[in-house]
Amino acid sequence: MNYHEARLKTRSFENFSCRSCEICNGIACRGEVPGVGGKGTGSGFTRNFAKIKEVMLQMDTLYEGGAVDTTLEIFGRVFKTPIFAAPVGGLTSAYNDSLSDYEYSRAILEGTLKGGGTGFLADGIAPEQFEGPLRALAEKGGMGIPTIKPWEEEEVFEKITRAREAGAIGIAMDVDAAGLTLLASLGKPVHPKSPSEIARFVEKAGIPFVVKGIMTPGAALKALEAGAYGIVVSNHGGRVLDHTPATIEVLPAIKAAVGDRMKIFIDGGIRTGYDVFKCLALGADGVLIGRPYAIAAFGGGAEAVASYTQQLTGELADAMRMTGALSLKDIDAGKVICDHRLDI
Ligand SMILES: Cc1cc2nc3c(=O)[nH]c(=O)nc-3n(C[C@H](O)[C@H](O)[C@H](O)COP(=O)(O)O)c2cc1C
């Protein structure tokens, strides 16, 4: 089953909170948090999507031909694609209860690994929201990245240990979850984290540690100084703060600040392999995709997740061939036109 078929299937589900729109741009679900939308006016989500669309590709087919290679080396592993699934939790309120956290994570890992990438896995209030994904991870030899919420330090330490025991290739923390006020109202608050706390998590992890939810060069530099292996330039799909810039707008300044000293992922509104190309051109090493992977997993399981990954990677390869980039390293800012870089 491909992505299109999986999406149509989810539309026939009863109680599926996501509308599974043909174009997943945040307009129909504005303000639906809980749900799948962006917080408040939903501008964080809609702007992510819109600003990527404004970047254009520079076609140039006058070059010595050759095979296009979409391979990325990261987390000490070689992946056939720079496209990864983003962590998606709170499945019952955002989608429905047809997949447990374990089943969802298994579909995501199995499918993305088959497609040549892998997935970041979610965390949540109930123990099973972390343990389920970890079980799926252990079954896949640790080939995924558990993403721990910024809970109290003791709980984070415990979860880092559990992730390591499952053999994870890396560990992430969505520090921007501090904006998920719902967690506090459910009795389990999350907090902003100081750079020295992040440094302690990095040390405890002892494997690549990625800080997810970075939107400024200053925050990226703090993560770098704390010893993070990488960052995810992300506004949590617009779910934690209204009125942020789009992630693609802040990416160039963040790349300029940290250079090649850390790995840079980006997410938010990335829907095609052409979008992936734009993100790599403006400074990312790899990308994460959230909502569409969730639709693929709910509608078509691992098969649709794999098919979607292959579809995106094919589109990325097409963009590379048509712009004269035979490897990911050849994709640079000269291959896109972009007039909205924020000078931040
Ligand atoms: C329903 C839903 C649940 C999410 N849960 C998590 C989570 O548990 N941890 C996390 O780091 N990010 C979470 N995110 C954010 C995604 O990882 C990602 O940053 C965002 O969805 C990317 O934008 P996109 O959906 O437009 O691709 C969630 C997003 C959605 C839509």
Side-chain angles (χ1 to χ4, degrees):
M1 186 185 286
N2 64 27
Y3 176 73
H4 175 67
E5 291 160 343
R7 185 179 68 76
L8 291 182
K9 180 140 184 239
T10 61
R11 292 192 82 145
S12 69
F13 290 169
E14 269 181 45
N15 305 326
F16 199 66
S17 308
C18 171
R19 293 169 184 76
S20 307
C21 301
E22 184 174 0
I23 299 172
C24 176
N25 56 11
I27 291 175
C29 56
R30 275 174 195 279
E32 294 181 7
V33 184
V36 289
K39 189 173 178 177
T41 66
S43 68
F45 181 0
T46 55
R47 192 174 177 97
N48 281 344
F49 178 89
K51 287 293 170 182
I52 291 183
K53 293 294 172 252
E54 286 178 14
V55 181
M56 292 164 283
L57 308 187
Q58 293 272 48
M59 192 167 78
D60 173 7
T61 50
L62 290 184
Y63 65 92
E64 192 100 16
V68 167
D69 179 9
T70 59
T71 298
L72 175 70
E73 214 177 314
I74 207 152
F75 296 115
R77 305 289 197 286
V78 177
F79 293 94
K80 276 194 254 157
T81 179
I83 301 164
F84 302 92
V88 171
L91 301 174
T92 305
S93 66
Y95 298 97
N96 67 16
D97 59 4
S98 61
L99 291 179
S100 67
D101 293 285
Y102 162 71
E103 290 164 334
Y104 177 80
S105 305
R106 192 181 55 185
I108 288 288
L109 286 182
E110 207 169 299
T112 51
L113 287 166
K114 193 167 170 217
T118 188
F120 285 64
L121 304 172
D123 184 12
I125 289 188
E128 184 57 18
Q129 289 178 295
F130 187 68
E131 292 298 328
L134 274 199
R135 254 193 340 273
L137 179 74
E139 285 170 13
K140 293 291 169 202
M143 286 295 290
I145 304 102
T147 307
I148 301 169
K149 295 230 168 300
W151 313 113
E152 300 292 344
E153 192 162 311
E154 202 179 314
E155 179 169 353
V156 174
F157 278 177
E158 228 176 274
K159 287 188 165 175
I160 288 175
T161 303
R162 295 281 299 110
R164 288 207 51 160
E165 284 166 1
I169 57 171
I171 295 173
M173 173 174 281
D174 52 329
V175 292
D176 57 356
L180 291 176
T181 42
L182 178 73
L183 297 177
S185 68
L186 293 172
K188 199 160 173 206
V190 277
H191 309 283
K193 290 289 170 197
S194 70
S196 57
E197 276 179 291
I198 297 292
R200 288 197 287 281
F201 299 149
V202 168
E203 197 189 335
K204 174 84 179 166
I207 57 175
F209 191 88
V210 174
V211 181
K212 178 172 181 284
I214 297 295
M215 286 295 284
T216 65
L221 288 170
K222 284 188 255 183
L224 178 68
E225 279 154 26
Y229 172 78
I231 51 173
V232 185
V233 175
S234 174
N235 60 9
H236 216 102
R239 295 169 65 75
V240 290
L241 179 65
D242 202 356
H243 312 293
T244 67
T247 52
I248 193 87
E249 288 178 292
V250 299
L251 175 64
I254 290 174
K255 175 66 181 176
V258 303
D260 294 329
R261 292 178 289 170
M262 70 195 317
K263 302 294 181 192
I264 302 179
F265 297 91
I266 181 173
D267 71 19
I270 299 162
R271 299 292 178 259
T272 69
Y274 304 100
D275 295 343
V276 176
F277 182 95
K278 297 170 189 181
C279 293
L280 301 191
L282 293 175
D285 296 289
V287 309
L288 275 55
I289 297 177
R291 296 167 178 95
Y293 265 121
I295 289 173
F298 273 91
E303 186 191 333
V305 169
S307 169
Y308 184 53
T309 309
Q310 285 153 0
Q311 175 192 322
L312 295 168
T313 306
E315 290 164 353
L316 169 63
D318 182 40
M320 291 170 70
R321 196 165 32 248
M322 292 304 292
T323 56
L326 292 181
S327 77
L328 298 186
K329 287 192 175 57
D330 299 332
I331 306 175
D332 59 26
K335 298 207 178 297
V336 294
I337 299 173
C338 167
D339 58 9
H340 60 54
R341 284 164 224 221
L342 293 186
D343 185 18
I344 52 176

